[in-house]
Amino acid sequence: MSKHKIILASLIGIIGVSFASIFIKECANVPSIVLSMYRLDIAALILLLINILKKNKILPLSRKELLLGFLSGVFLALHFYFWIASLKYTSIASSVVLVSTNPFFVVLVSLFLMKEKITFKMVLALIVSFIGTIIITVNDGNLFSSKIDKVALFGDMLALIGAFSVSFYFIIGAQLRKSMDTNKYITVVYSSAAIFITIMVMFANVDAFHYSTRDFSFIFLLAIIPQLVGHSAFNWALKYLKATAIAITTLGEIIGSSILAYIFFAQTISLWQFVGIAFIISAIVISFKYGKV
């Protein structure tokens, strides 16, 4: 596959997912589990409708594809739920840094479970990306405060679980994309995630319906742009890049979110944030060059 197409797809993915924090911020009154449910339900329903209209064949699937596809969907749903929930308890900086540890989890699982070799250059990209993440977010709140806040600590744990969950989503996806085309893969995974999170909402003590038209407008945008465009672009690239490279590339969301926050909320970008952005861009470039399957 052309390197330019892989880079283009990754850039589309970064831009798409970067809008997530903007739309989530605009739905502050909607519980995280409800946001996650609608994001996945709407995306899955649109995909199913497109497949029906185009008469695309999703079935039959092997038992392995069904099982792994469902597991990937479960981990995706858990990632959204725990990450969005973490923002209600801890600072944005802490949440971003901790959920951005997902490439480290990808490497550990790849090394010990998948027996995949990790090159020195990919380890370097990993380190550079995390340094960039720290630099960008260090000035937000009391990220390194010595005072223990039990509420913030709970939020930090949620963010870590979110990082752990999305790592398995990428690893399983990399395996399935070897034999499944993008449409079939995302239809199975998004649908599985939607079913799983909807069942969770049914047993949760939350209101799933009584929200404003404005809230539902941003929820719809959340399903279309970050999910159907952003995540689907990354899932397309999973066939050509290793899971570790994709995980590092998704950190571009931090850059995109910072730029969008500047555009929409007039949030300034400091000199240190520019330095951090340079680190992350460097890591992404390295992962593009040395993270091919």
Side-chain angles (χ1 to χ4, degrees):
M1 178 56 62
S2 166
K3 180 175 69 174
H4 298 295
K5 287 185 178 180
I6 298 172
I7 292 173
L8 178 61
S10 299
L11 287 175
I12 291 171
I14 290 171
I15 294 169
V17 298
S18 294
F19 277 93
S21 59
I22 304 297
F23 298 148
I24 290 169
K25 184 178 176 64
E26 295 294 338
C27 300
N29 296 322
V30 184
S32 57
I33 193 169
V34 176
L35 272 177
S36 303
M37 179 190 73
Y38 280 122
R39 173 178 182 163
L40 290 165
D41 284 0
I42 293 170
L45 286 172
I46 290 174
L47 274 177
L48 289 172
L49 180 60
I50 290 172
N51 282 308
I52 290 171
L53 292 175
K54 289 190 172 184
K55 297 181 180 179
N56 294 329
K57 289 186 178 181
I58 303 301
L59 299 174
L61 295 170
S62 69
R63 184 178 299 177
K64 179 181 178 181
E65 288 174 331
L66 280 172
L67 177 60
L68 289 179
F70 177 75
L71 282 176
S72 182
V74 168
F75 283 119
L76 176 62
L78 291 175
H79 163 66
F80 288 147
Y81 170 63
F82 286 113
W83 171 59
I84 296 173
S86 74
L87 294 171
K88 298 181 184 297
Y89 297 99
T90 191
S91 70
I92 293 174
S94 294
S95 177
V96 168
V97 168
L98 291 169
V99 84
S100 297
T101 59
N102 76 84
F104 289 93
F105 287 119
V106 170
V107 167
L108 289 174
V109 174
S110 298
L111 280 172
F112 295 105
L113 291 185
M114 311 303 295
K115 306 299 181 183
E116 183 179 291
K117 292 182 179 179
I118 306 297
T119 65
F120 170 76
K121 290 184 174 66
M122 287 306 297
V123 172
L124 178 63
L126 198 67
I127 295 170
V128 171
S129 69
F130 194 64
I131 291 173
T133 303
I134 293 291
I135 292 173
I136 287 175
T137 56
V138 71
N139 292 318
D140 182 17
N142 297 315
L143 183 61
F144 298 112
S145 172
S146 59
K147 183 180 178 181
I148 296 176
D149 184 334
K150 291 183 178 179
V151 174
L153 185 61
F154 177 66
D156 294 342
M157 292 302 297
L158 293 178
L160 275 175
I161 296 172
F164 184 76
S165 300
V166 79
S167 302
F168 276 96
Y169 163 64
F170 286 136
I171 290 168
I172 295 172
Q175 295 300 310
L176 284 177
R177 284 289 286 120
K178 291 177 181 178
S179 59
M180 293 176 70
D181 62 49
T182 307
N183 176 61
K184 184 178 288 188
Y185 173 72
I186 62 175
T187 300
V188 171
V189 173
Y190 296 177
S191 298
S192 299
I195 292 168
F196 179 78
I197 199 73
T198 301
I199 293 172
M200 285 181 66
V201 170
M202 290 170 61
F203 288 95
N205 185 26
V206 293
D207 179 8
F209 304 105
H210 300 96
Y211 300 101
S212 67
T213 302
R214 186 176 185 277
D215 285 333
F216 278 112
S217 296
F218 281 106
I219 287 171
F220 183 77
L221 290 173
L222 185 64
I224 299 297
I225 299 176
Q227 190 61 41
L228 282 178
V229 176
H231 269 263
S232 298
F234 284 136
N235 283 320
W236 178 87
L238 265 176
K239 189 177 182 68
Y240 310 103
L241 293 173
K242 292 180 180 180
T244 307
I246 290 293
I248 291 172
T249 302
T250 61
L251 299 186
E253 179 181 354
I254 300 170
I255 301 171
S257 297
S258 298
I259 295 171
L260 290 173
Y262 171 78
I263 295 171
F264 290 101
F265 303 121
Q267 293 184 9
T268 59
I269 301 176
S270 69
L271 176 61
W272 279 109
Q273 284 178 307
F274 276 114
V275 173
I277 286 171
F279 270 86
I280 291 178
I281 291 175
S282 299
I284 292 173
V285 170
I286 295 170
S287 66
F288 277 151
K289 190 171 183 179
Y290 300 104
K292 292 183 180 179
V293 175

